[in-house]
Amino acid sequence: MSIRKMKGLSQEELGMELQVSRQTISKWESGQSYPDFQRLVMLSDYFDMTLDELVKDIDVQDVRNKNLTDEKVASIYLDVENVKNKSRKLIKIFCYAGVILLGIVILGFILHLFFPDIEWLWGSTQ
């Protein structure tokens, strides 16, 4: 924002006036993000400008494209998180099934050790 520089303000000073961080001011100036409406009004009041004068150099289509891109990226991250969560659940199910199967095998082994002569349990021993 050349307005900030013309007034001799640092990003930190302007951030303090608007109750945002210096990093937020930097993102606004580089076009990585944009102020919300409340902050735009505060900026226009602070610099004694109309909203039209304040935003006249902003390409609205760029803002729209950025919002669409942000939404797409957020959607991708959400999809990845959903796949991760489903994978974790599936892994847990397989682990529980494995533990249960191992328990059954161990129980069968122990039963065979203590009761080796039970025909109905092991079948014919001859």
Side-chain angles (χ1 to χ4, degrees):
M1 256 196 175
S2 60
I3 303 166
R4 173 187 63 81
K5 291 178 183 176
M6 287 184 346
K7 298 281 185 178
L9 294 170
S10 68
Q11 290 177 340
E12 191 164 338
E13 291 169 329
L14 183 57
M16 287 174 42
E17 288 293 327
L18 299 174
Q19 300 171 350
V20 297
S21 68
R22 175 195 61 76
Q23 291 85 352
T24 299
I25 300 295
S26 176
K27 286 180 181 180
W28 292 349
E29 290 179 355
S30 65
Q32 293 177 358
S33 68
Y34 299 96
D36 59 21
F37 188 73
Q38 178 184 357
R39 299 283 188 246
L40 283 173
V41 172
M42 291 172 72
L43 279 166
S44 72
D45 288 346
Y46 185 77
F47 290 120
D48 195 29
M49 302 171 75
T50 65
L51 286 174
D52 288 340
E53 292 171 324
L54 189 64
V55 298
K56 70 178 177 182
D57 293 330
I58 295 177
D59 184 358
V60 176
Q61 191 58 41
D62 283 346
V63 174
R64 287 185 183 126
N65 291 340
K66 176 164 180 19
N67 285 340
L68 288 175
T69 302
D70 288 347
E71 289 172 8
K72 288 177 185 175
V73 168
S75 174
I76 290 170
Y77 278 120
L78 184 60
D79 291 345
V80 168
E81 282 302 314
N82 288 339
V83 168
K84 280 180 169 179
N85 289 336
K86 287 179 182 178
S87 297
R88 286 183 188 124
K89 287 179 183 178
L90 193 60
I91 289 171
K92 281 183 182 180
I93 289 171
F94 280 119
C95 286
Y96 288 136
V99 168
I100 290 170
L101 184 61
L102 183 63
I104 290 171
V105 169
I106 291 172
L107 181 63
F109 180 73
I110 291 171
L111 285 174
H112 188 61
L113 285 176
F114 287 109
F115 307 105
D117 296 331
I118 299 177
E119 279 188 40
W120 64 268
L121 189 59
W122 311 116
S124 178
T125 56
Q126 298 184 8

